[in-house]
Amino acid sequence: MNLNEKANQLFLLLTELTEVLEQENKLLDQPNSKELGPLVTRKQELLVDYERELSQLAVSPHFFQTLNEEMKGKLRALSSRYQDAALINENKLRMATRSSQMIADRIKDEARKAAGTQVRGYGQTGGYAQNGAAPRAAPIAINQTL
């Protein structure tokens, strides 16, 4: 494969990877989207291919200089678009992770508070047991306030 064909292959791969990142960025605003899983899988596959291409090109240090000006410009513009999409993706994923951790922490705090509460049970006569109040686990409901 000559260098121009290699450049075209890299351009197509980077184009698809950038488009997948941009689609994922849109879907991350709707985290329950069923489309997110397959898109993340495709992104991971493309990243492996992209890293392989870059490592192969690292053997040809003068690769970029051998390209015509049009291809250089296209690759520069696409690389910039890719970097923008990757940065947005990183930030959105970081925020989603932080939000999930905050929810988990809040649930843990509520469980800790509820675990030591006195929960009275019913006695044999159908009324509250007089001496039956002991600390027990209490149910926690997860609702929109979390």
Side-chain angles (χ1 to χ4, degrees):
M1 181 178 299
N2 69 34
L3 292 178
N4 283 330
E5 290 171 342
K6 199 74 166 155
N8 283 329
Q9 182 177 348
L10 178 64
F11 182 80
L12 292 174
L13 178 60
L14 191 55
T15 298
E16 185 177 0
L17 178 57
T18 302
E19 289 171 353
V20 166
L21 276 172
E22 290 170 343
Q23 289 174 4
E24 182 182 13
N25 290 341
K26 288 178 185 173
L27 289 176
L28 283 170
D29 293 332
Q30 311 158 14
N32 293 330
S33 174
K34 292 180 185 350
E35 300 169 38
L36 198 54
L39 202 58
V40 169
T41 301
R42 183 64 184 143
K43 177 182 76 170
Q44 291 169 337
E45 293 168 352
L46 289 168
L47 282 170
V48 168
D49 293 344
Y50 182 61
E51 288 175 5
R52 184 181 58 244
E53 286 292 321
L54 290 181
S55 66
Q56 289 174 1
L57 289 174
V59 179
S60 305
H62 302 292
F63 166 75
F64 195 72
Q65 289 77 19
T66 63
L67 301 176
N68 62 40
E69 291 304 315
E70 179 186 358
M71 181 54 82
K72 285 180 187 178
K74 287 169 59 174
L75 282 172
R76 279 189 191 111
L78 183 56
S79 293
S80 177
R81 185 175 146 210
Y82 167 75
Q83 290 296 327
D84 291 344
L87 183 60
I88 291 168
N89 190 260
E90 180 183 352
N91 290 333
K92 285 183 180 250
L93 290 173
R94 186 181 299 120
M95 287 184 348
T97 301
R98 189 176 304 142
S99 296
S100 295
Q101 185 60 51
M102 288 171 62
I103 290 170
D105 289 345
R106 183 78 184 268
I107 292 169
K108 183 174 67 174
D109 291 344
E110 293 299 318
R112 189 178 298 122
K113 287 179 199 173
T117 60
Q118 299 287 325
V119 180
R120 293 182 64 188
Y122 290 103
Q124 292 176 338
T125 61
Y128 281 120
Q130 297 296 329
N131 297 335
R136 293 196 233 167
I140 297 173
I142 298 174
N143 58 31
Q144 292 184 6
T145 61
L146 289 177

